[in-house]
Amino acid sequence: MATMHCCCRLLVLGIFVMSLVNLTYPLDNGASWFDPKSHSLREQEWFYGHEQIDPKLMQMRGIHLQVEARRMASKLRKLSNKEIGVTAMQGIYDSMPSIRKQANEEQKLNQIAKNLAVKFQHYLEVLSANKQRVESLYSFHLKQPISQKLDCCNISDSELRLVAEYHSKISNLMTCDLIPPSIQQHSFNPGRNLTAVFQRHIHDYPSIKWQYFISVDGIQNEFPAHNFQVVHGGCPSALDIRHRDVFLGTAQPQRKHVVIVVDQGNSLSPDQLKTAKGIARYILNSLSETDRVGIIGLANKAVYPRDDQCLSKQLVPLTFEAKFFFSSFVDSLSKQEFPTAHSLGLQRAFEMIMNSLAPLNSSTEDEAMIVYISRGLLSTLTEAKDVMETIAIENGRVRHKVVINTYAVIGAGKTVMFEKSFLQNIADQNFEKYDVDRRYSGPVKKGQMLAINSLEDLSSTAGLFYKSFNRSSIDKPRFTLPYIDITGQDLVMSISQPCFHDNELLGIVGVDLHVGDVVQDVTYYNQEVSEYAFLINNEGYTIMHPSLSRPIHSTRQPMHTDIQHFENSQGFHAVRERILGEESGQARMLVSLDNITYPNGPPARGIPLHATYLWKKVPNTPYIACLKTVDEEAIHSELGNVQVASQKELVYHRLDLIPTEHNCMHLKQLGTLDTSTLFLSASAFADPFEHLSTPETKRMIQGYVAYLNDNTKLIRNPGLKSHVRNDVATVSKINHEWKRQFQSSTLNDYIVRRYISTPSGVFRMFPGGIVDKSYDATKREWYNRAMEFPGHVVLTAPYLDAFGAGYIVTISHTIYEGKPAAMHSSSDRVVAVMGIDFTMKYFYKLLVETMPLCKKGDVRCFVLDNQGYVIAHPRLVEPRGTGPVEQRHITHAEPLVANDILNHDQFVRKRLCNNYNYRTIQRYYYFNTSLSGILTNLVHGEHCSRYQITSIPGTNIFIGIVNQTCDMITAFCPCSVMDRLCLNCHRMEQSECECPCECPLQMDFCTGQLLDVDDRNPSCPRYPEPNKLVQVPTSMTSHLKQCMQSKCSEKKTKEECFGVRDCEWCELNKDGKEPLSSPHCATQRVCFAGVLGARTPYGDQAKLLPMEDSPIAESSTPVGPVAGGIMGAFLVLALAVYCYRHHVHRSTHHYMTTAPDTQVRMSQLENEPDDLEPREEIGSGHTNIVLATFDHPSVSPYRVNPNYRRPPAGGESDHGYSTMTPQEDSEQASTTCVEPLISGQEKYKPGVSPTGKTHALPPPPQISSRRGRSPTPPQTRIPEQTCIQQQTVLPSTIPESSHVIANVTVHMVDTH
């Protein structure tokens, strides 16, 4: 009976729970669960069939959460309308004149293709002129040698100047040479005679970066001159890596099949093995992605990078990942205890070639090469014949298609005549000498034998080695894919062409182009939601796409990705084939919303969408310009002729060049309260790259302002796009409303700034202030989130303000195109986005004011956004000293809630996307904002902890409450405390709780493409771009006052101080634990995050005296005359006593060392920095960094840092996962300062087995499983003793003497 009774109770409970689950999601008919625009809430809240459940069941501690959610929605809507001025701005747009225009995408595409064609025509003319000049100079060289040298490595820094476009020091007054050490005396070197031509080209086309000539002898002429000290290994190493693949790809453009065999037998000395490995790396660097490569390590047996059916049996495409993996394998080779089995190595190489070459009866005339790097020492007298026998048999099978080139690794002071002769015979395939019969009657293609004493000799062999292919160089330009320039760490592409004399190859000429200039028409095309452009080449590789970072922010080697990975809707493959095969055309197809890339967020979900692709090939190039529109209306409206209301309202943001009457400092930013300021991003200019590359001057700014203020339209356009003037005039009209609201608002203490941005690149901000030139508001998260939820009040998760306000939260809202009737819907076109920044703590203050019960100790209230990131939570505002972890996820902050809601896949879904900028698969969450009920565990779950959560109508956020009556919580979500690697990259279950994380994007080395399982993921939206504070000379700012005085010292209670801009309620001593005896309100510099003397993320914390436990004055006061006199007399007296004692006791000074050292030295007070916090041991949780730069944050929109430190592959399975309890927050487990390359190359270097005979590598993926993964290679070399920045810190603004190297929490920096 007891059992039956228990079962009945469970059955009833189960039915009740199921009913609650069904009740939780009353969605509108036809609306998808993830429709961000479907936000209609029903009046009924908890129904089962037609029966309404008692509303009291929905209450927790007397709170009806949906009622509170509506109250919160009302407050947020009021903030949006009143403080931002959304209703006023919408009214302005509704009152503006407009004109209706017919959309003409084909005309737009033709213009893009035309601009690209004209640009490349200029570049090709430059290349042709350089080629003709070189060929002409060679004719003179035959009569009188042209061989004067100017070694780049000998140029001093004083002869160079820093140029922003090059990101390094250069000189455009001369051409310098990278010269091989063993170059012949009279080798052709036209460098000095090319300078005038190079200078003329750079004057005519400033977007050209480098021009160069590389001779077959290995000499490189470089313009502008540069000493290449920034190259890893110094200037000499630049000769071996710079443009080597460009040279070979131009001289021999056909696909090359190459097997590299590296001798590691017992005959090699350590130096010889080092040379052999250097040769292998040099050859790998010379090859490109179009080539097929294999590599073998050889002693008594052959070893491979991975012993499988791929890398040990066939040649693979040499992608960036494969090249890195092979280089790591070469680095791992070590000397073995056995003699070298030459025949075995050559036999294995031939087998790999046979498995990879086209069938013998095919029309393809593929050739292959074996590169044999060895000392050439034989173990028996008959081994040479055995080797030749092997070559005869194996090469005969492929009809002598294989050329063998040999490198003889020579040791210093050793006789190597016989070894060199043996390796020469291998290269010649001299069967007759060893009385070996040929197996195929056709002619043998002889190779080259090159004797190498040191790695310095390699560059002189560049033009000789591949002559063995016996292919004539094609006299056509060659275009490379984008790559990172090793000298400036920016994105470039090369165009090159061979030079000849009487059909003999002299070398190649090349130009490196800024990718930002080449693709600017595509990058800055329409910034609106439903239309974008992309550029691909004739093989389908993506050159530019909205999912990729702007070239100006690309600092890592891009993943060369096929366009079908970005446009991966079902059916696009057929469209791709048409794009690659037809000169121009268009195609229309039905698309899935999850597989669409939108520059600024997706449109409404749950409706069928049609995409139209248009394309056109760019003449005389391998490029194809494409345009994609999604259900675009044929007719749209644009602003008519808008008159500028007042010239006073048009103030450009460069207050350092043209100041206002009352400049001031807005936190750390030069600003003004006189008016809002105007900023024009690169997309507002007809030539964005030129704008970004040219420093702004006072005259230029005056030209902008005069043109924009000119209602007569008589002043010449200074280079702006035509529609920018109307946008500027329209958004300027909000200035009066902002100033009025600023003067009357009761929330000024909590507001940081207001702003508005249009898709055209017009940005206006109040208080006015200087903005970095590369800033683009349309790439910021507050903008993209608003575009994702048009018509909603949208909040972003807390982030660190770049301009000094600490942690802030942004509210943003869209503005629709004008309609006279002012009847708007979410389907209207968005013409602007407005935003306002509040301090982070203000939102918790707002939450507590709405629900006073949140102050109770056993109740926690929180607000989170549609991706699960916490906006308001008690742990975000509690005193910590190190500050909160921005972008904290619900899985971290409330694991109980996260574990439960993941069982409701109609409320939250896990998602995947591929990020090709960082070669990762991102896992993130998406919450259903159309939820109109209350989600709860009132009936099941933890016995002493209950929660409720519901959406806040009209927003992208949710409100929740947790009532916890005990400390015994069993729920947890694993989050890595070492890196951002997912717990299990081989599976993802909806119900398994884990923090947002990432996995390596896996490549199939055999095909050079993504694994099929990863290929199905959509591409991630572009990361929010970094921003930085514009540094203004202190001479301009030192005398300026703060624009808005927070008056922290006047706030006498915690309630008054809480959330006020730049203020903190100081309640803990500097150890972060001991309460202060006198809590008080102070600035963030004095008391960041509530802890006295805590270091700020800006590095500008105030210094404290030892053992201080009293309020610190916010500004120093001068010492009074009396006190000053007393102090002066005391110092004089002390000095006199010291001199007397020193004179009397100097003969007995050695006895003083035995006395206790109890006196404080003046040097300690004046010169030695105080230790504000005890030092932490390595691994204690903080990252040791110098508080300096903040130019390159790499922050995922899913809050995953791509620069995390992954544990080495093949290591232990425990990656440092933790429950992340409230006492163990992630800032207490940041990545510490690690050894060089741990975060880069070393983590993918092959390990050596205990025997030292085999090589354990991080395995690339097998075709049939995801067990293996290709390594994600680093993009830059990390110098010795460099700490890896996990996040970004801001530059310090305190004097140099106050700079410290400190253990700090590294914060993600962001700005509006």
Side-chain angles (χ1 to χ4, degrees):
M1 290 293 293
T3 304
M4 291 181 61
H5 180 66
C6 181
C7 291
C8 291
R9 292 181 63 185
L10 290 174
L11 179 61
V12 172
L13 179 61
I15 293 174
F16 182 64
V17 171
M18 291 177 62
S19 68
L20 292 183
V21 172
N22 291 329
L23 297 174
T24 305
Y25 314 104
L27 303 179
D28 293 335
N29 292 332
S32 173
W33 79 270
F34 50 83
D35 185 357
K37 296 184 180 180
S38 177
H39 59 278
S40 60
L41 292 171
R42 301 185 178 185
E43 294 301 323
Q44 67 272 23
E45 286 153 352
W46 287 71
F47 286 87
Y48 178 65
H50 299 285
E51 181 182 355
Q52 185 172 8
I53 293 177
D54 186 355
K56 293 182 180 180
L57 293 177
M58 296 183 291
Q59 297 184 11
M60 179 180 291
R61 301 284 295 270
I63 290 181
H64 191 301
L65 195 59
Q66 280 199 317
V67 174
E68 304 302 332
R70 289 170 180 162
R71 290 178 59 195
M72 180 68 77
S74 176
K75 291 182 178 181
L76 292 175
R77 177 61 64 179
K78 184 177 180 181
L79 287 177
S80 173
N81 293 340
K82 187 176 180 181
E83 296 295 344
I84 308 180
V86 169
T87 53
M89 192 73 249
Q90 188 62 67
I92 291 171
Y93 267 95
D94 289 338
S95 65
M96 289 296 103
S98 62
I99 55 177
R100 304 287 286 176
K101 281 193 174 183
Q102 180 77 28
N104 193 338
E105 279 72 26
E106 186 174 356
Q107 181 179 354
K108 297 177 183 177
L109 178 65
N110 289 337
Q111 186 62 49
I112 292 176
K114 179 181 178 182
N115 292 346
L116 286 169
V118 170
K119 192 170 296 186
F120 277 111
Q121 182 61 36
H122 293 157
Y123 297 149
L124 291 174
E125 289 173 357
V126 167
L127 194 68
S128 177
N130 292 346
K131 168 183 164 66
Q132 293 176 18
R133 179 63 173 167
V134 168
E135 293 174 345
S136 174
L137 288 171
Y138 188 78
S139 299
F140 287 102
H141 170 73
L142 296 177
K143 301 174 183 177
Q144 182 175 353
I146 301 175
S147 56
Q148 184 181 358
K149 302 179 182 67
L150 177 59
D151 196 337
C152 296
C153 300
N154 294 333
I155 299 178
S156 65
D157 283 345
S158 61
E159 300 178 75
L160 309 174
R161 64 183 180 91
L162 183 64
V163 178
E165 300 94 290
Y166 292 83
H167 301 285
S168 57
K169 290 185 175 182
I170 58 99
S171 172
N172 54 15
L173 301 177
M174 55 186 171
T175 301
C176 71
D177 312 314
L178 292 171
I179 307 170
S182 57
I183 196 70
Q184 296 181 5
Q185 182 178 0
H186 297 298
S187 295
F188 178 50
N189 183 1
R192 250 51 54 231
N193 298 279
L194 294 174
T195 300
V197 178
F198 289 159
Q199 288 175 329
R200 183 171 67 250
H201 294 158
I202 208 73
H203 176 269
D204 294 340
Y205 309 108
S207 57
I208 294 176
K209 188 174 184 183
W210 303 104
Q211 301 176 74
Y212 48 90
F213 168 72
I214 306 177
S215 73
V216 292
D217 295 328
I219 296 176
Q220 296 188 37
N221 304 138
E222 295 277 349
F223 180 87
H226 180 53
N227 59 18
F228 298 99
Q229 298 301 323
V230 297
V231 178
H232 182 77
C235 183
S237 66
L239 184 64
D240 294 332
I241 59 178
R242 183 167 168 80
H243 295 133
R244 278 298 151 204
D245 54 343
V246 176
F247 175 84
L248 180 57
T250 307
Q252 296 289 335
Q254 76 279 5
R255 175 178 294 175
K256 292 168 280 295
H257 298 77
V258 180
V259 181
I260 303 172
V261 182
V262 183
D263 186 352
Q264 58 177 140
N266 60 5
S267 64
L268 275 75
S269 68
D271 287 342
Q272 287 174 322
L273 180 60
K274 181 180 178 181
T275 301
K277 291 160 66 173
I279 294 170
R281 286 192 298 268
Y282 177 83
I283 295 170
L284 286 171
N285 287 330
S286 300
L287 299 169
S288 62
E289 292 195 7
T290 59
D291 301 322
R292 301 294 184 266
V293 179
I295 190 163
I296 300 172
L298 182 64
N300 62 318
K301 62 180 181 179
V303 294
Y304 308 93
R306 189 184 64 208
D307 193 8
D308 61 2
Q309 295 300 314
C310 179
L311 298 186
S312 65
K313 301 296 183 184
Q314 65 185 60
L315 309 183
V316 301
L318 194 64
T319 61
F320 182 80
E321 288 76 14
K323 182 180 291 188
F324 181 85
F325 190 64
F326 286 171
S327 296
S328 298
F329 170 74
V330 170
D331 290 342
S332 72
L333 294 177
S334 60
K335 181 178 178 179
Q336 302 299 296
E337 300 174 356
F338 306 95
T340 304
H342 302 285
S343 295
L344 176 64
L346 292 169
Q347 182 180 0
R348 294 289 185 266
F350 275 107
E351 289 175 358
M352 296 177 71
I353 291 172
M354 290 180 63
N355 294 333
S356 305
L357 285 181
L360 296 179
N361 56 0
S362 69
S363 59
T364 304
E365 291 296 329
D366 283 340
E367 293 179 322
M369 174 181 288
I370 296 175
V371 178
Y372 192 51
I373 309 169
S374 174
R375 179 182 172 183
L377 186 66
L378 301 175
S379 57
T380 66
L381 295 176
T382 61
E383 188 178 8
K385 182 173 182 179
D386 294 339
V387 171
M388 299 307 297
E389 188 78 28
T390 299
I391 296 173
I393 294 172
E394 300 297 338
N395 209 5
R397 291 178 179 177
V398 292
R399 300 178 183 178
H400 290 174
K401 285 188 174 184
V402 178
V403 177
I404 304 177
N405 280 1
T406 58
Y407 275 107
V409 181
I410 301 174
K414 294 186 179 180
T415 304
V416 292
M417 292 301 296
F418 182 77
E419 289 91 332
K420 288 178 61 177
S421 175
F422 168 64
L423 293 174
Q424 182 67 63
N425 290 330
I426 291 178
D428 294 339
Q429 300 185 43
N430 190 353
F431 305 123
E432 290 77 11
K433 181 175 180 178
Y434 296 92
D435 197 21
V436 173
D437 295 333
R438 297 191 181 195
R439 303 314 196 264
Y440 178 67
S441 59
V444 170
K445 297 177 180 178
K446 293 184 178 182
Q448 303 279 335
M449 193 285 294
L450 300 168
I452 301 297
N453 285 300
S454 69
L455 296 178
E456 294 179 348
D457 298 330
L458 286 175
S459 52
S460 61
T461 68
L464 303 174
F465 195 75
Y466 290 94
K467 283 187 174 181
S468 305
F469 278 120
N470 199 25
R471 291 280 189 94
S472 299
S473 301
I474 302 174
D475 194 9
K476 291 183 179 179
R478 179 179 180 270
F479 299 75
T480 70
L481 293 169
Y483 63 93
I484 291 295
D485 179 18
I486 61 173
T487 58
Q489 292 301 306
D490 56 348
L491 205 58
V492 298
M493 61 170 53
S494 298
I495 308 178
S496 54
Q497 194 166 357
C499 302
F500 300 95
H501 180 78
D502 293 339
N503 296 323
E504 184 73 18
L505 181 67
L506 304 177
I508 67 128
V509 290
V511 293
D512 289 352
L513 311 173
H514 291 277
V515 174
D517 171 62
V518 173
V519 302
Q520 65 176 356
D521 292 302
V522 176
T523 305
Y524 298 99
Y525 182 71
N526 192 350
Q527 302 288 318
E528 297 183 22
V529 170
S530 57
E531 183 176 329
Y532 61 84
F534 57 89
L535 184 69
I536 63 176
N537 72 0
N538 53 17
E539 294 181 343
Y541 283 110
T542 308
I543 308 301
M544 189 60 203
H545 190 275
S547 292
L548 297 174
S549 299
R550 281 195 296 165
I552 191 175
H553 290 297
S554 296
T555 58
R556 60 184 64 221
Q557 175 64 36
M559 189 174 190
H560 297 150
T561 310
D562 195 283
I563 187 59
Q564 62 188 354
H565 298 315
F566 296 108
E567 305 291 329
N568 61 349
S569 296
Q570 186 176 3
F572 178 75
H573 180 74
V575 176
R576 176 185 178 277
E577 294 303 313
R578 288 189 58 191
I579 292 175
L580 298 182
E582 301 176 8
E583 286 292 323
S584 61
Q586 62 177 291
R588 184 173 173 84
M589 58 178 287
L590 191 67
V591 294
S592 167
L593 189 62
D594 289 335
N595 295 73
I596 301 177
T597 300
Y598 293 94
N600 301 306
R605 299 175 183 264
I607 58 176
L609 296 171
H610 288 85
T612 301
Y613 289 92
L614 298 90
W615 64 89
K616 186 177 181 62
K617 291 189 175 180
V618 181
N620 302 317
T621 75
Y623 301 122
I624 307 170
C626 305
L627 200 63
K628 177 182 179 181
T629 62
V630 180
D631 286 338
E632 181 73 4
E633 294 183 4
I635 299 178
H636 64 277
S637 62
E638 291 183 358
L639 288 171
N641 184 18
V642 182
Q643 299 292 314
V644 178
S646 171
Q647 293 187 4
K648 293 183 179 180
E649 294 182 353
L650 194 57
V651 175
Y652 200 64
H653 74 106
R654 290 300 302 270
L655 302 176
D656 56 331
L657 296 179
I658 305 181
T660 62
E661 293 181 6
H662 305 98
N663 273 9
C664 55
M665 292 300 295
H666 184 40
L667 301 168
K668 298 180 182 302
Q669 181 185 32
L670 179 61
T672 180
L673 289 177
D674 291 347
T675 183
S676 59
T677 52
L678 171 69
F679 168 78
L680 300 175
S681 71
S683 57
F685 290 82
D687 193 335
F689 181 80
E690 181 184 24
H691 168 71
L692 291 171
S693 304
T694 307
E696 286 179 322
T697 64
K698 184 176 181 178
R699 182 180 294 274
M700 292 169 62
I701 294 169
Q702 290 170 336
Y704 301 157
V705 174
Y707 168 75
L708 295 171
N709 270 320
D710 178 31
N711 288 325
T712 65
K713 296 187 177 181
L714 297 177
I715 297 178
R716 183 177 64 87
N717 187 337
L720 300 174
K721 292 179 179 177
S722 58
H723 54 274
V724 168
R725 189 209 301 256
N726 285 333
D727 285 348
V728 169
T730 303
V731 300
S732 296
K733 299 181 185 297
I734 196 62
N735 184 60
H736 175 73
E737 175 65 20
W738 279 349
K739 293 180 65 176
R740 184 191 65 78
Q741 186 60 30
F742 172 73
Q743 293 169 359
S744 62
S745 176
T746 60
L747 301 179
N748 281 339
D749 283 347
Y750 311 102
I751 296 173
V752 180
R753 62 184 65 86
R754 301 170 173 87
Y755 39 86
I756 183 174
S757 179
T758 69
S760 63
V762 176
F763 179 78
R764 200 168 186 95
M765 177 172 64
F766 182 86
I770 300 180
V771 180
D772 183 67
K773 197 173 188 178
S774 64
Y775 177 74
D776 189 339
T778 64
K779 308 301 187 293
R780 305 305 305 153
E781 188 160 6
W782 60 267
Y783 188 99
N784 294 337
R785 286 288 187 92
M787 295 294 284
E788 186 178 356
F789 295 92
H792 288 55
V793 178
V794 176
L795 278 73
T796 64
Y799 59 93
L800 188 65
D801 177 42
F803 303 131
Y807 289 99
I808 61 174
V809 173
T810 299
I811 300 179
S812 55
H813 198 287
T814 52
I815 302 296
Y816 295 120
E817 63 182 347
K819 288 185 177 180
M823 297 296 292
H824 295 284
S825 70
S826 59
S827 61
D828 289 353
R829 189 169 68 95
V830 174
V831 294
V833 175
M834 302 187 76
I836 186 170
D837 293 340
F838 283 90
T839 63
M840 179 191 67
K841 290 186 177 181
Y842 170 75
F843 283 93
Y844 190 73
K845 182 185 183 76
L846 184 66
L847 178 62
V848 172
E849 289 175 352
T850 305
M851 296 175 16
L853 184 66
C854 300
K855 298 178 181 179
K856 299 289 184 180
D858 57 348
V859 174
R860 294 192 303 276
C861 302
F862 60 88
V863 175
L864 69 153
D865 68 7
N866 62 297
Q867 289 186 355
Y869 291 96
V870 176
I871 294 172
H873 192 279
R875 294 187 188 121
L876 290 181
V877 299
E878 62 188 10
R880 300 178 56 86
T882 55
V885 177
E886 63 272 42
Q887 315 294 2
R888 183 177 299 184
H889 200 262
I890 187 66
T891 50
H892 180 188
E894 293 291 345
L896 165 68
V897 178
N899 270 278
D900 189 74
I901 63 178
L902 283 173
N903 294 308
H904 305 283
D905 59 0
Q906 290 297 308
F907 175 55
V908 59
R909 290 275 181 88
K910 283 185 179 180
R911 288 185 173 179
L912 294 173
C913 66
N914 292 346
N915 187 289
Y916 297 100
N917 287 296
Y918 298 109
R919 295 176 166 85
T920 56
I921 302 172
Q922 304 286 348
R923 293 184 184 178
Y924 65 104
Y925 294 88
Y926 199 91
F927 287 72
N928 177 15
T929 56
S930 60
L931 169 70
S932 59
I934 299 177
L935 193 67
T936 184
N937 68 339
L938 282 176
V939 179
H940 59 89
E942 298 284 350
H943 70 281
C944 61
S945 184
R946 299 288 184 262
Y947 80 88
Q948 288 186 359
I949 186 171
T950 191
S951 63
I952 298 179
T955 72
N956 70 320
I957 61 176
F958 303 83
I959 189 171
I961 183 171
V962 178
N963 183 18
Q964 184 174 321
T965 57
C966 69
D967 296 329
M968 200 62 188
I969 301 297
T970 60
F972 72 96
C973 298
C975 302
S976 174
V977 299
M978 292 178 59
D979 51 37
R980 299 291 185 173
L981 190 67
C982 298
L983 177 63
N984 188 344
C985 285
H986 306 308
R987 74 170 193 169
M988 185 184 77
E989 297 294 336
Q990 168 67 25
S991 60
E992 291 181 356
C993 185
E994 61 179 341
C995 291
C997 58
E998 66 180 15
C999 294
L1001 191 56
Q1002 301 182 28
M1003 298 289 294
D1004 181 358
F1005 281 176
C1006 294
T1007 63
Q1009 300 296 325
L1010 292 177
L1011 289 182
D1012 291 339
V1013 68
D1014 295 339
D1015 198 10
R1016 295 190 293 266
N1017 302 331
S1019 61
C1020 298
R1022 177 169 37 203
Y1023 282 175
E1025 291 181 352
N1027 191 25
K1028 58 184 178 182
L1029 176 69
V1030 178
Q1031 298 295 330
V1032 179
T1034 54
S1035 58
M1036 299 183 61
T1037 61
S1038 59
H1039 64 286
L1040 298 178
K1041 297 180 180 180
Q1042 282 291 320
C1043 300
M1044 297 182 286
Q1045 300 291 333
S1046 297
K1047 301 180 181 179
C1048 302
S1049 59
E1050 298 180 7
K1051 317 293 182 185
K1052 301 303 180 184
T1053 66
K1054 183 174 182 178
E1055 185 177 358
E1056 291 179 352
C1057 182
F1058 194 83
V1060 174
R1061 181 187 57 255
D1062 197 34
C1063 293
E1064 294 280 358
W1065 183 250
C1066 202
E1067 51 187 310
L1068 294 182
N1069 214 322
K1070 58 184 179 181
D1071 61 1
K1073 298 178 182 179
E1074 181 184 356
L1076 287 176
S1077 58
S1078 302
H1080 57 278
C1081 191
T1083 64
Q1084 292 190 41
R1085 290 187 62 240
V1086 173
C1087 197
F1088 187 76
V1091 178
L1092 184 67
R1095 291 179 172 89
T1096 75
Y1098 305 103
D1100 62 347
Q1101 61 276 354
K1103 284 191 173 184
L1104 304 179
L1105 296 177
M1107 302 303 294
E1108 185 164 359
D1109 186 22
S1110 58
I1112 306 296
E1114 294 174 25
S1115 60
S1116 60
T1117 56
V1119 180
V1122 176
I1126 294 173
M1127 291 178 63
F1130 174 77
L1131 291 175
V1132 171
L1133 179 61
L1135 181 61
V1137 171
Y1138 169 77
C1139 294
Y1140 173 77
R1141 288 174 59 86
H1142 178 72
H1143 175 72
V1144 171
H1145 298 291
R1146 62 184 176 181
S1147 61
T1148 59
H1149 182 74
H1150 57 281
Y1151 293 110
M1152 298 179 64
T1153 59
T1154 63
D1157 187 8
T1158 58
Q1159 296 183 359
V1160 179
R1161 297 175 183 151
M1162 292 301 296
S1163 62
Q1164 292 177 330
L1165 297 178
E1166 296 176 351
N1167 300 321
E1168 297 180 8
D1170 296 322
D1171 286 331
L1172 301 183
E1173 292 181 7
R1175 291 187 180 271
E1176 296 178 313
E1177 298 296 331
I1178 295 298
S1180 62
H1182 294 269
T1183 303
N1184 296 318
I1185 57 174
V1186 178
L1187 300 176
T1189 182
F1190 127 107
D1191 292 341
H1192 304 290
S1194 301
V1195 179
S1196 163
Y1198 317 101
R1199 317 310 186 270
V1200 178
N1201 183 1
N1203 290 330
Y1204 67 71
R1205 177 171 63 113
R1206 296 189 183 91
E1212 296 180 358
S1213 60
D1214 181 12
H1215 297 299
Y1217 283 82
S1218 159
T1219 60
M1220 289 302 227
T1221 59
Q1223 291 77 26
E1224 297 176 332
D1225 293 323
S1226 62
E1227 73 270 16
Q1228 301 301 324
S1230 304
T1231 306
T1232 57
C1233 194
V1234 296
E1235 293 184 4
L1237 304 182
I1238 274 292
S1239 296
Q1241 291 177 329
E1242 295 295 331
K1243 63 187 175 184
Y1244 299 110
K1245 289 187 71 172
V1248 181
S1249 67
T1251 62
K1253 299 178 182 179
T1254 58
H1255 309 279
L1257 285 167
Q1262 307 286 345
I1263 297 177
S1264 59
S1265 78
R1266 294 185 55 165
R1267 289 295 301 170
R1269 68 174 70 98
S1270 68
T1272 304
Q1275 310 307 321
T1276 56
R1277 295 182 183 269
I1278 303 171
E1280 295 287 337
Q1281 302 302 323
T1282 299
C1283 298
I1284 311 302
Q1285 288 195 18
Q1286 191 178 31
Q1287 292 290 359
T1288 308
V1289 289
L1290 301 179
S1292 174
T1293 57
I1294 58 178
E1296 187 67 28
S1297 61
S1298 301
H1299 286 195
V1300 292
I1301 299 178
N1303 290 323
V1304 299
T1305 296
V1306 189
H1307 303 266
M1308 186 191 77
V1309 180
D1310 205 347
T1311 186
H1312 49 70

